[in-house]
Amino acid sequence: MDKRIDLIIEKLKDVYDPEIPVNIYDLGLVYNVDVDDTNKATIIMTLTAPGCPVADMLVEDARQAALSADGVEDAHVELTFEPPWEKSMMSEEARLELGFF
């Protein structure tokens, strides 16, 4: 895996939905992270619900997180709802923290 992708993932773990005390990566909201030859990161992510009131903030926070990773010069975040998010997409740690067994 590209080291820049690892760095972006670490930065995404600092981005939190203000309504949920788990980062967006461990929540399973990030579907894909890629970096091309021009150092542009592309993140494909979703939200826990299509009507999320902080959608714009989360997308921008994810973009800024990617831009803060060494070796990344540009970043784009694509929001998708296919497949729709579900609780099973959370990491085991996130499920335990939120009480989902």
Side-chain angles (χ1 to χ4, degrees):
M1 186 187 303
D2 188 317
K3 189 173 203 165
R4 296 170 298 176
I5 293 172
D6 291 335
L7 293 171
I8 292 168
I9 289 170
E10 285 307 309
K11 299 290 185 175
L12 289 171
K13 289 182 178 183
D14 291 332
V15 177
Y16 286 79
D17 181 322
E19 298 175 327
I20 306 171
V22 176
N23 69 70
I24 64 171
Y25 191 81
D26 287 331
L27 269 176
L29 299 181
V30 178
Y31 289 170
N32 191 52
V33 177
D34 196 21
V35 181
D36 67 18
D37 294 335
T38 65
N39 299 318
K40 180 179 181 178
T42 301
I43 298 168
I44 299 173
M45 67 176 284
T46 193
L47 303 169
T48 56
C52 177
V54 294
D56 292 340
M57 182 191 81
L58 287 177
V59 168
E60 182 58 20
D61 287 354
R63 189 178 85 78
Q64 290 299 323
L67 286 171
S68 72
D70 289 340
V72 175
E73 296 178 18
D74 192 12
H76 171 73
V77 178
E78 180 182 329
L79 196 57
T80 185
F81 294 99
E82 293 297 325
W85 179 86
E86 58 182 67
K87 293 175 188 169
S88 67
M89 295 173 168
M90 291 188 288
S91 70
E92 184 176 335
E93 181 180 307
R95 285 193 300 269
L96 287 172
E97 187 170 331
L98 295 174
F100 298 125
F101 306 127

